[in-house]
Amino acid sequence: MAGGLALLFPGHAAAASFWQVSPRSPEAASIAFLFWLVMAVAALFLFGVLGSLVYIVIRFRARPGQPDPPPNYGSLRLEVWWTLIPFGLLVVVFGFMVREMNKEIAPRPNALEVTVVGRQWWWEYRYPGGAVAANELHIPAGRQIRLNLQSGDVIHNFWVPELAGKEQTIPGTTNVWTFSAERPGTYVGACSEYCGGQHGWMRLSVIAQEPPEFDRWLAAQREPPASGVLSAHASALALYAANACGGCHTLAGVSQGKAGPDLTHVGGRSTLGAGVLRNTPENMARWLKDPQAVKPGALMPNFRLSDEQARQMAALLMDLK
Ligand code: CUA
């Protein structure tokens, strides 16, 4: 299992789990409770019906010489009961579900608000104060997180099973969802609504950090790259300009493109292409050389960089921590 998960989530340790009834947050615990409640009701019915069936077959079986029993077709009393009992149970489950959904969308004055934008095929996260990240959602452990879920193109579905229920990102609307992570750790998730050819590579992770550590991370994300980093990669920056990378990507102090992931701190992420590759200098160069070979259908075109050009660009991007 752990090995399989490491394959599915190349950037993460095998500790990450995709098992939806191992809640690591109060919100996921409520959802797991609902799951077990429905499971218990369904099991009660399954064994109740099967048990009665076995009992009836044995108890009322035809015996030699016995006449046919009187038919009870159309018994109003029976029909009323076997309609009312399931109906009542469904009403109870529905009530629990609505209560849970209302809890998740109720206003939270002290929550950290993050805007999530689902895109083909990656996730954009916008933090207060202007920091923009991709695919890896850093949050402070123990604090309520208020997600404003939007879409840049088609319907996606943000899902981190251990922390929160599925919530759609729909073009032209904003869905809200609240969750938290009780303890620091990495929690894996994925887009859970088919959204095109690379839906399977629309992975995400939530990285819950101790609050002071998160504050340092967020403060660093708000900063442009150190000027020393840019000047050390002058030839890569010339390539960046020559290939119009800035038309799609933001690199604070250099370009303002919005179509692709913000590159200002791309070197600090653990995966590329929403989980398709580990973020290493070699993989970055591979991605830059031919993105379509790595993730067919991604918006990033092939700029036909030479090996040396891809290496230089990768060196710049990896230094943007
Ligand atoms: Cu986005 Cu599936």
Side-chain angles (χ1 to χ4, degrees):
M1 188 71 180
L5 284 167
L7 268 183
L8 282 172
F9 299 93
H12 305 296
S17 159
F18 212 69
W19 179 227
Q20 88 184 83
V21 285
S22 60
R24 298 283 181 270
S25 75
E27 295 77 16
S30 309
I31 292 167
F33 167 76
L34 271 180
F35 172 83
W36 289 119
L37 176 78
V38 173
M39 190 69 125
V41 170
L44 202 73
F45 266 78
L46 177 71
F47 293 113
V49 169
L50 283 182
S52 324
L53 194 66
V54 169
Y55 173 78
I56 288 166
V57 162
I58 295 170
R59 172 78 179 75
F60 298 105
R61 71 187 185 279
R63 293 183 171 86
Q66 233 180 14
D68 283 350
N72 65 355
Y73 173 78
S75 160
L76 184 66
R77 211 175 57 156
L78 270 179
E79 298 215 358
V80 165
W81 279 116
W82 70 45
T83 304
L84 278 186
I85 293 175
F87 180 77
L89 282 167
L90 286 179
V91 166
V92 170
V93 168
F94 180 73
F96 272 108
M97 199 180 72
V98 168
R99 193 186 65 156
E100 182 57 31
M101 287 169 75
N102 279 334
K103 225 164 60 184
E104 302 310 334
I105 61 175
R108 311 286 167 105
N110 296 318
L112 172 72
E113 290 220 16
V114 182
T115 297
V116 174
V117 186
R119 295 180 186 277
Q120 287 174 314
W121 291 278
W122 58 284
W123 301 95
E124 179 175 302
Y125 308 124
R126 300 191 197 130
Y127 289 84
V132 182
N135 302 324
E136 288 153 36
L137 179 66
H138 288 249
I139 61 166
R143 187 169 163 196
Q144 297 270 306
I145 312 298
R146 178 79 157 176
L147 299 181
N148 297 312
L149 295 138
Q150 302 171 352
S151 170
D153 35 53
V154 301
I155 298 175
H156 304 275
N157 198 313
F158 185 90
W159 190 35
V160 186
E162 289 184 309
L163 298 181
K166 297 178 178 184
E167 192 59 37
Q168 284 182 320
T169 72
I170 299 173
T173 195
T174 299
N175 280 339
V176 293
W177 198 250
T178 313
F179 76 104
S180 60
E182 283 166 334
R183 275 183 294 280
T186 298
Y187 305 89
V188 292
C191 179
S192 65
E193 183 140 343
Y194 182 72
C195 56
Q198 294 293 326
H199 157 74
W201 285 118
M202 198 165 160
R203 302 281 158 80
L204 67 113
S205 57
V206 172
I207 300 172
Q209 299 169 295
E210 295 290 359
E213 195 190 335
F214 170 79
D215 290 342
R216 281 195 296 277
W217 176 86
L218 186 56
Q221 293 292 307
R222 287 173 177 149
E223 294 294 319
S227 56
V229 170
L230 294 182
S231 54
H233 293 280
S235 54
L237 276 178
L239 283 168
Y240 187 90
N243 290 291
C245 305
C248 288
H249 294 281
T250 292
L251 174 50
V254 178
S255 66
Q256 299 290 327
K258 296 289 181 227
D262 190 307
L263 299 176
T264 310
H265 299 283
V266 63
R269 295 175 200 146
S270 59
T271 69
L272 288 174
V276 75
L277 291 175
R278 265 180 216 276
N279 194 9
T280 64
E282 298 73 35
N283 283 340
M284 183 66 93
R286 188 179 146 198
W287 170 259
L288 292 167
K289 280 268 299 179
D290 191 356
Q292 297 302 315
V294 178
K295 194 169 180 180
L299 282 182
M300 172 102 169
N302 183 347
F303 289 101
R304 313 209 170 277
L305 300 177
S306 70
D307 287 346
E308 177 55 22
Q309 288 172 330
R311 195 196 57 77
Q312 287 179 1
M313 290 287 276
L316 161 66
L317 294 172
M318 296 306 291
D319 275 354
L320 299 172
K321 297 288 188 200

